Amino acid sequence: MMTTVSITGASKRYGKVEAVKDVSLTLNEGEVVALVGHNGAGKTTLIKLMLGLIRPSEGRVRVLGEDPATGDFAVRQRLGYLPESVSFHMALTGRETLAFYARLKRVDIAGGADLFERVGLAAEAVDRPVRTYSKGMRQRLGLAQALLGHPRVLLLDEPTSGLDPALRRHFYDLVTELRAGGTTVLLSSHALTELEDRTDRVVIVTGGSKIADGTLADLRGIANLPTRVSVRLAGEGVAPDWRQDNVRWKLAPDGTMEADVAADRKIALLHEITADPSALSSLAITEPTLDDLYAHFLTRELARP
Ligand SMILES: Nc1ncnc2c1ncn2[C@@H]1O[C@H](COP(=O)(O)OP(=O)(O)OP(=O)(O)O)[C@@H](O)[C@H]1O
């Protein structure tokens, strides 16, 4: 897998504020990575470092093998960026806006109509002034702008804010397609639930530091949080042996029995529970969500001396 972005020991200070502290991070070709963290955690600063808009106070940033702040313009042409709040010139139409950005980026606009279609901006809207656009339409125009020049690295800051559920799905389909074509996609977001099944890797930052970096499975392994097992018994009178196991079951008001089971005991317990399938009417297993993991890593970080 080819590395497209590599950040090594990077820090960025603004006076006394250390917006990014000694962060090392690698992004690869064809990878979708979520960058998550609270407000002020340093996400935008990291993105600005990758874009070469700012330089690190310490450390090194390389994008497609070059320093984005000083490197070749050709590298910046292969970088796409969607800022958190997209602001366009309200009097320009969608088509004019895209043409403007294409000129800035010095890329061919020939595929412009295609781009509108790809991001789901209706043909009838393309020649209307941007001031008549809804927030979701502006967001899609922003995405079309970010896709100009077939970027190899796409940095998207809160890309789904303002999109309704159907547009979100469309957006993630597009991300999947880009990833298949080898693009690196970095999504900075607060929307943890929707990121869960859609990213290859999750990077958590807080107070400018990176505190976790891995696949969801990696993070689950490190966090070692319990798995929730929920069962419903087939009949009132059934009292299987595993109820006596040293797992603490709680009875929910709807009659479901729930237990939080340590990762290393989960499989043995499930084996036991399912030994007599006729005893159960339903069984559900819930792994820790990205929300749970995020809370875990933040709490662990706060507890550090
Ligand atoms: N130009 C700047 N001058 C001074 N301080 C800054 C500057 N840019 C960022 N900071 C500070 O650096 C820290 C990190 O900010 P950053 O914008 O990177 O966070 P973020 O994770 O993107 O937050 P959000 O989710 O709110 O966008 C914050 O404390 C912020 O106030």
Side-chain angles (χ1 to χ4, degrees), residues 188-269:
S188 148
S189 185
H190 295 286
L192 301 186
T193 314
E194 68 178 55
L195 287 173
E196 202 158 300
D197 305 321
R198 290 164 166 135
T199 52
D200 299 306
R201 192 146 61 90
V202 180
V203 173
I204 305 179
V205 287
T206 186
S209 303
K210 182 176 93 170
I211 56 165
D213 182 350
T215 63
L216 211 54
D218 291 339
L219 300 190
R220 283 189 176 127
I222 298 167
N224 200 24
L225 294 176
T227 299
R228 172 150 300 178
V229 177
S230 314
V231 292
R232 279 177 85 97
L233 298 178
E236 290 277 313
V238 190
D241 283 351
W242 47 262
R243 292 179 68 170
Q244 314 307 321
D245 195 350
N246 48 358
V247 167
R248 197 173 304 169
W249 291 96
K250 277 180 276 180
L251 190 64
D254 68 350
T256 307
M257 291 167 58
E258 289 182 342
D260 289 333
V261 187
D264 58 352
R265 306 213 4 233
K266 173 177 71 179
I267 294 173
L269 179 76

Side-chain angles (χ1 to χ4, degrees), residues 272-292:
E272 202 181 340
I273 288 178
T274 52
D276 175 12
S278 67
L280 302 183
S281 69
S282 76
L283 166 66
I285 298 153
T286 319
E287 293 290 356
T289 62
L290 184 52
D291 259 318
D292 298 331

